[in-house]
Amino acid sequence: MHAYRGRRRGKEGHDDRRLGWRRWPVQQAWLGEDVAQCGFCQPGQIMQAAALLKSNRNPSDTDIDKIMNVCRCGTYCRIRKAIKRAASTM
Ligand code: FES
């Protein structure tokens, strides 16, 4: 279990108002698609995804492949799904 999963609230874990913060769409999509495995690469993947979506709200698979970092766990398919999910909610 990932450390952050322990903080999930509700089915999607969208926000934790007790802590006074809400997750951004990319973070929500990451949890919704259950992207992370070991989590080592995930902060970089999420930041790259957020930067991509800031300039391109409808990225293609090719656009997404260009920004992905190496993931030893091979979460690439779930990363693509999460980015598209985030794009659909922004
Ligand atoms: S989730 Fe393990 S390296 Fe990406």
Side-chain angles (χ1 to χ4, degrees):
M1 174 184 268
H2 301 283
Y4 67 80
R5 282 189 182 161
R7 288 201 240 153
R8 288 177 101 168
R9 299 287 183 263
K11 184 177 177 189
E12 297 291 326
H14 285 179
D15 62 86
D16 192 338
R17 294 189 178 135
R18 291 181 314 142
L19 298 176
W21 54 271
R22 288 180 55 91
R23 292 190 181 103
W24 288 39
V26 175
Q27 293 173 304
Q28 292 174 9
W30 240 251
L31 290 171
E33 294 296 335
D34 205 16
V35 174
Q37 284 194 10
C38 79
F40 184 80
C41 73
Q42 298 302 308
Q45 306 281 16
I46 290 171
M47 294 304 290
Q48 288 283 72
L52 172 65
L53 292 173
K54 190 173 180 181
S55 62
N56 181 354
R57 292 291 172 93
N58 189 21
S60 66
D61 285 346
T62 304
D63 297 330
I64 294 169
D65 289 348
K66 286 179 185 171
I67 59 106
M68 272 198 262
N69 299 315
V70 173
C71 174
R72 294 175 302 165
C73 300
T75 62
Y76 303 111
C77 291
R78 294 200 302 269
I79 289 171
R80 273 189 215 100
K81 284 184 187 175
I83 291 173
K84 290 182 178 185
R85 181 175 181 150
S88 71
T89 63
M90 296 175 76

